[in-house]
Amino acid sequence: IFGAENIINFDISGRKRWVNTHASWWDTWLLATGESWDTSQIDTLNGELKYTLKNDFDIIKNRLTLGVDLFTAENKLLTITPLYGTFNQLKIKKETCGVYVSDRIDISKYLIINAGFREEWAKYVFDQAENTGRYSTKSPKQDAFDLGVEYKYNLEGGIYGRISRSF
């Protein structure tokens, strides 16, 4: 295709984090005085696949980007309060899948049009094992768009207008 340049990107990352609010030698004393003891573990994993097509037609330059991303996070919380004899365990899980398209068209070196759309599906799970036995899920769907025009009055400055909806 007329001077086309195709770029495919694949990114994947993750994180594991564990936090103990009273991780010191005096934990035993704190537990004996009735203060709460909390632990939290957050695990995340996300990935993105993106395809970019750069295409020039004479003086018109076009950059079209298509992509999909996936994200999952799980947060496990444990709270113990010995003074009141309470123990609470909560697990929150979030999973999302998003698809998007974005296009930038440089009609000339002075006029640029941008447009994009994104759709995202999510699932949340709330699982509180002790005391309440609550388990619930939510599955919202969101979409967003962006449309903009920029007029460059010189190579360093410009005037632009934009209409967008985000979530």
Side-chain angles (χ1 to χ4, degrees), residues 95-112:
E95 296 174 336
T96 64
C97 175
V99 294
Y100 59 91
V101 59
S102 176
D103 199 8
R104 175 187 166 126
I105 302 170
D106 295 30
I107 295 176
S108 70
K109 64 181 180 179
Y110 298 106
L111 185 60
I112 301 165

Side-chain angles (χ1 to χ4, degrees), residues 77-95:
L77 304 165
L78 173 63
T79 303
I80 300 171
T81 309
L83 183 64
Y84 301 109
T86 61
F87 169 84
N88 190 17
Q89 185 174 352
L90 173 66
K91 182 167 57 170
I92 303 169
K93 188 169 186 175
K94 174 184 177 183
E95 296 174 336

Side-chain angles (χ1 to χ4, degrees), residues 11-17 41-48 69-76 91-98 118 120-125:
D11 294 317
I12 190 165
S13 64
R15 180 177 182 192
K16 199 171 203 42
R17 182 175 184 212
Q41 178 179 334
I42 302 172
D43 301 331
T44 62
L45 180 64
N46 58 303
E48 178 183 32
D69 52 58
L70 302 169
F71 175 81
T72 183
E74 186 172 297
N75 189 355
K76 297 175 188 171
K91 182 167 57 170
I92 303 169
K93 188 169 186 175
K94 174 184 177 183
E95 296 174 336
T96 64
C97 175
R118 177 178 175 81
E120 184 171 289
W121 299 267
K123 180 180 180 184
Y124 296 88
V125 176

Side-chain angles (χ1 to χ4, degrees), residues 129-146:
E130 298 299 320
N131 298 332
T132 63
R134 291 184 184 167
Y135 181 89
S136 64
T137 64
K138 302 278 184 201
S139 298
K141 178 184 135 195
Q142 297 285 330
D143 53 70
F145 70 88
D146 186 56

